[in-house]
Amino acid sequence: IMAIIKKFRIKSFKKKRSIVSFKKVSLSFGNRRIINEINFDVNHGEILGILGPNGVGKSTIFNLITGLIKPDSGEVLFENKNITDLPMYLRTKKFNIGFVPQHGGFFHDLTLFENLKAIAEIIIKTQRESLQKINFLISKFELDSVRDIKAKFLSGGQKRKLVIALALIGNPRIILMDEPFSALDLISIQMLKEIIINLQTENRISIVIADHQARDLLTCVDSAIILHNTTIVASGTPNQLMDNKQARSAYFGDTFKFS
């Protein structure tokens, strides 16, 4: 399956152009340290995975990128510009950051079409462009048959497609996906992995995925980082992580295989 899904893997970037960088970023909630002086880069066109046990700070990293929370120390950079103090709405507008949450992310009582229209009307200037974009996304994700169905009645896979389509309305340069594989059946997971790869190859979008499903995540990322005990204990391509003793000790265990 992996060979079909991920026909190539970017093992190194000849010209490393980071789109998002963390420089010695630390954050605590009360007396509890969540992340401690972590450093990493997301490169242009890269799919980066974030792995780690519950409560280790995966969602916190997303909140720091979007500006929902501020670090206690360190810097968050977007294309080498310090955005640590930039408010959430300006980051989204100025740097086109898309977000796919683990739960929700859509209006339950609106139809699929109405959901897309509600967001498009805010972001896109003309009604004609708005309709073109909506129809394009409905077609792209093969949602024509459910365009007039209320979102709450969609299947898990269809809901995930809708939320990704909503994130794409603003033409994001980077998309953050929080637990995208959770609560999906095997066919929907396969479909979602194909969508993620297509976003990279066709749209040149950088993608960051945080998930517990290590096997599914590792089959579609170029590289990954593993969070453990407030810090990054390992990083590299999936194959490099399989050979990393710290990665196995902190997260995978000795018997785990992803292919």
Side-chain angles (χ1 to χ4, degrees):
I1 288 172
M2 191 187 86
I4 295 169
I5 293 288
K6 189 72 174 166
K7 293 179 181 176
F8 69 95
R9 199 179 298 283
I10 303 172
K11 293 185 178 177
S12 63
F13 290 75
K14 289 176 183 176
K15 292 182 180 177
K16 285 202 172 184
R17 288 177 56 231
S18 65
I19 188 163
V20 170
S21 303
F22 273 39
K23 304 291 184 189
K24 291 190 174 181
V25 173
S26 297
L27 180 75
S28 299
F29 292 143
N31 293 325
R32 185 180 167 221
R33 180 58 63 102
I34 306 297
I35 51 175
N36 186 46
E37 293 197 349
I38 65 168
N39 299 283
F40 72 90
D41 295 290
V42 185
N43 290 299
H44 278 270
E46 179 181 24
I47 303 177
L48 176 76
I50 303 177
L51 288 166
N54 264 337
V56 78
K58 298 188 298 294
S59 296
T60 299
I61 286 176
F62 283 173
N63 292 336
L64 287 163
I65 293 172
T66 60
L68 188 63
I69 53 177
K70 274 180 65 174
D72 297 331
S73 60
E75 295 180 344
V76 180
L77 308 178
F78 197 100
E79 292 186 327
N80 296 319
K81 297 182 183 74
N82 189 340
I83 63 168
T84 313
D85 296 319
L86 206 64
M88 190 174 185
Y89 75 96
L90 281 179
R91 291 191 199 194
T92 308
K93 188 176 178 182
K94 193 172 181 180
F95 298 111
N96 291 28
I97 301 170
F99 181 54
V100 177
Q102 180 183 358
H103 302 293
F106 54 85
F107 301 104
H108 290 250
D109 281 320
L110 295 184
T111 66
L112 183 141
F113 177 82
E114 288 167 344
N115 264 278
L116 292 165
K117 188 168 178 278
I119 304 304
E121 284 180 344
I122 298 168
I123 295 173
I124 300 173
K125 291 178 181 178
T126 71
Q127 193 172 353
R128 185 183 168 201
E129 282 179 71
S130 174
L131 200 57
Q132 282 178 341
K133 185 75 172 186
I134 292 167
N135 288 331
F136 168 76
L137 289 168
I138 287 173
S139 176
K140 180 183 177 71
F141 291 116
E142 299 177 350
L143 293 166
D144 302 81
S145 62
V146 292
R147 65 181 285 146
D148 296 319
I149 303 293
K150 284 192 175 183
K152 63 185 176 185
F153 297 126
L154 299 174
S155 70
Q158 289 165 343
K159 286 175 181 172
R160 209 56 54 92
K161 280 183 175 182
L162 169 59
V163 178
I164 294 171
L166 289 168
L168 288 173
I169 287 175
N171 296 319
R173 295 160 66 196
I174 184 168
I175 291 183
L176 313 175
M177 295 187 173
D178 195 6
E179 307 273 354
F181 302 117
S182 66
L184 292 182
D185 58 74
L186 290 173
I187 291 174
S188 296
I189 287 173
Q190 190 75 1
M191 167 213 75
L192 181 56
K193 287 197 276 190
E194 289 174 2
I195 287 171
I196 290 167
I197 300 305
N198 286 337
L199 288 175
Q200 180 191 40
T201 54
E202 295 173 14
N203 301 76
R204 308 292 182 192
I205 295 173
S206 303
I207 302 166
V208 186
I209 307 169
D211 210 292
H212 287 111
Q213 312 286 356
R215 190 167 281 103
D216 294 316
L217 181 144
L218 290 174
T219 56
C220 67
V221 301
D222 298 305
S223 60
I225 60 175
I226 295 174
L227 292 168
H228 179 71
N229 197 22
T230 75
T231 190
I232 294 170
V233 295
S235 63
T237 66
N239 287 327
Q240 287 170 342
L241 291 175
M242 290 299 95
D243 296 331
N244 187 302
K245 288 181 181 178
Q246 282 182 297
R248 285 202 169 275
S249 172
Y251 190 67
F252 295 121
D254 293 328
T255 59
F256 176 83
K257 293 179 181 178
F258 79 92
S259 60

